[in-house]
Amino acid sequence: MTLSCVALGLDHRHIFGMTENMKKAGVSCTGYWTQGNPSSLSGFTKRFPDIPRLDGLKDALNCGADLALISAIPSERADLSIQAMQHGMDVMTDKPGCTTLDQLDQIRKAVSDTGRIWSVNFSERFETPVSTKATELVAAGAIGKVVQTIGLGPHRLNRATRPSWFFQRDRYGGILTDIASHQIDQFLHYSGSDTAEIVHAFVANHANPANPGLQDFGEINLRSANASGYIRVDWYTPDALPNWGDGRLTILGTEGYIELRKYVDVGGAEGTDHLILVNADTCKKVHAADAGLPYFSRLAEDIQNRTDTAMEQAHCFTVMDLALRAQEMAETQ
């Protein structure tokens, strides 16, 4: 069985990786639809010149594809996801998968009613081979029982290239809903937690007073039955850094620790996907760029077999629920 996908909304560059990785997993892309001409459109057509633009959303929804790839404006992703599921498609959406708790409730109902898969591409885990390697090491007991994670998600603002919706709170969803959903996903995944309590949540605009709708700093403290987690996200990446952000994750276990330097190793080795492992027998840095990205092929298999191996549906719902509730807590306390 050959699977096909359609892209709905090209408002964020994450659609590039979503499309490319599904193509590598053997899924063909039959076309794309997007509202207007977002800034990422030219990059998409350059990378995928063979993918045609469809005349309208109705045509895209009725194209017969198995999977919808959604990277529209964040506040519009829930409605597109629901429409796609109602038209018989499974869904992979860019994060955040939705921007309100009401939207999440509607998505839950659509999944229940249609039996389709709703998957959020948490790319800071699913598109970094070093995260795959860390998963293998944690599962093998390399650092004992995981008791804490520290997730850092700094990003470059790139003000000049940002669309207007990027600075509008109701459209992008807030910094914790958006960026911190990555780190919540990683906390639950590596600690083996089904859910967590939000102990503390905070957002601020420290450096961009001309854009009051932008939150440029956020933090969360989480606690589950077996672990705790700290998350910090921001839009402060300095110009001298060679990429968009020095994203890191530290996983603390009872018998050692792992640090992921995903995108850059400042002052160290070149390239990406650097892993530090320290335990009773090992103290070394591992280059993990060849560890693979199993999420995409597993999702393709889940679509074919109606299984739940790429990411459990309950996990996906829980991540977004926690991100939205942390955002709400930070803005109302």
Side-chain angles (χ1 to χ4, degrees):
M1 176 181 177
T2 301
L3 299 176
S4 63
C5 66
V6 62
L8 305 180
L10 307 182
D11 293 277
H12 198 294
R13 290 169 56 88
H14 285 163
I15 193 65
F16 302 162
M18 293 162 65
T19 305
E20 181 63 31
N21 283 302
M22 288 314 299
K23 284 172 69 72
K24 288 180 179 177
V27 179
S28 63
C29 190
T30 60
Y32 73 90
W33 169 85
T34 193
Q35 187 72 43
N37 294 288
S39 59
S40 55
L41 177 59
S42 60
F44 185 86
T45 56
K46 182 178 180 179
R47 286 169 174 79
F48 310 108
D50 58 325
I51 300 178
R53 184 167 190 165
L54 303 174
D55 291 336
L57 177 58
K58 183 177 179 180
D59 294 313
L61 291 171
N62 288 289
C63 71
D66 302 288
L67 174 69
L69 304 177
I70 298 175
S71 193
I73 295 169
S75 61
E76 299 172 5
R77 292 173 189 170
D79 181 62
L80 286 173
S81 294
I82 291 167
Q83 290 191 67
M85 287 187 281
Q86 290 172 341
H87 282 77
M89 287 183 274
D90 295 308
V91 171
M92 179 208 293
T93 178
D94 188 10
K95 62 80 218 164
C98 53
T99 55
T100 70
L101 286 166
D102 181 62
Q103 287 180 353
L104 183 59
D105 286 342
Q106 293 177 46
I107 290 168
R108 289 180 191 269
K109 184 177 186 303
V111 169
S112 177
D113 289 347
T114 65
R116 311 316 301 179
I117 298 166
W118 183 71
S119 189
V120 177
N121 176 26
F122 297 113
S123 56
E124 291 192 26
R125 177 160 68 96
F126 295 146
E127 293 190 33
T128 55
V130 70
S131 300
T132 304
K133 184 64 175 179
T135 295
E136 295 169 357
L137 289 169
V138 168
I143 58 171
K145 177 186 175 184
V146 173
V147 296
Q148 189 206 39
T149 67
I150 300 175
L152 307 180
H155 286 61
R156 177 171 281 123
L157 184 59
N158 288 328
R159 175 185 295 279
T161 63
R162 295 293 182 180
S164 59
W165 61 260
F166 177 85
F167 300 97
Q168 298 169 16
R169 160 64 181 83
D170 289 345
R171 301 187 81 191
Y172 75 87
I175 193 169
L176 301 183
T177 299
D178 183 13
I179 303 177
S181 60
H182 285 300
Q183 283 72 33
I184 295 170
D185 161 67
Q186 292 167 83
F187 167 75
L188 295 177
H189 173 72
Y190 290 110
S191 69
S193 301
D194 293 329
T195 189
E197 173 192 358
I198 305 163
V199 179
H200 164 76
F202 175 78
V203 296
N205 182 332
H206 292 305
N208 295 275
N211 301 107
L214 177 68
Q215 296 165 356
D216 58 22
F217 178 87
E219 63 182 1
I220 305 173
N221 286 98
L222 296 172
R223 182 168 59 216
S224 72
N226 52 295
S228 60
Y230 174 74
I231 293 166
R232 190 207 77 209
V233 291
D234 65 74
W235 288 104
Y236 302 144
T237 292
D239 289 343
L241 197 78
N243 64 0
W244 57 265
D246 187 3
R248 300 193 184 194
L249 176 70
T250 299
I251 308 168
L252 177 66
T254 54
E255 298 174 25
Y257 66 89
I258 294 169
E259 181 185 348
L260 311 186
R261 300 179 183 179
K262 299 181 181 182
Y263 309 106
V264 63
D265 183 21
V266 176
E270 294 183 356
T272 61
D273 297 286
H274 307 280
L275 183 147
I276 294 169
L277 171 63
V278 181
N279 59 23
D281 307 307
T282 302
C283 183
K284 66 180 180 180
K285 183 182 290 183
V286 178
H287 187 54
D290 61 351
L293 303 174
Y295 165 75
F296 300 95
S297 59
R298 288 175 182 169
L299 181 59
E301 292 170 0
D302 288 341
I303 293 169
Q304 288 185 312
N305 303 324
R306 310 318 298 167
T307 49
D308 200 27
T309 64
M311 171 174 53
E312 291 185 1
Q313 187 66 78
H315 172 93
C316 189
F317 285 148
T318 300
V319 172
M320 285 313 311
D321 182 79
L322 288 171
L324 291 163
R325 293 186 187 281
Q327 186 73 50
E328 185 179 71
M329 177 186 291
E331 293 177 343
T332 58
Q333 62 185 1

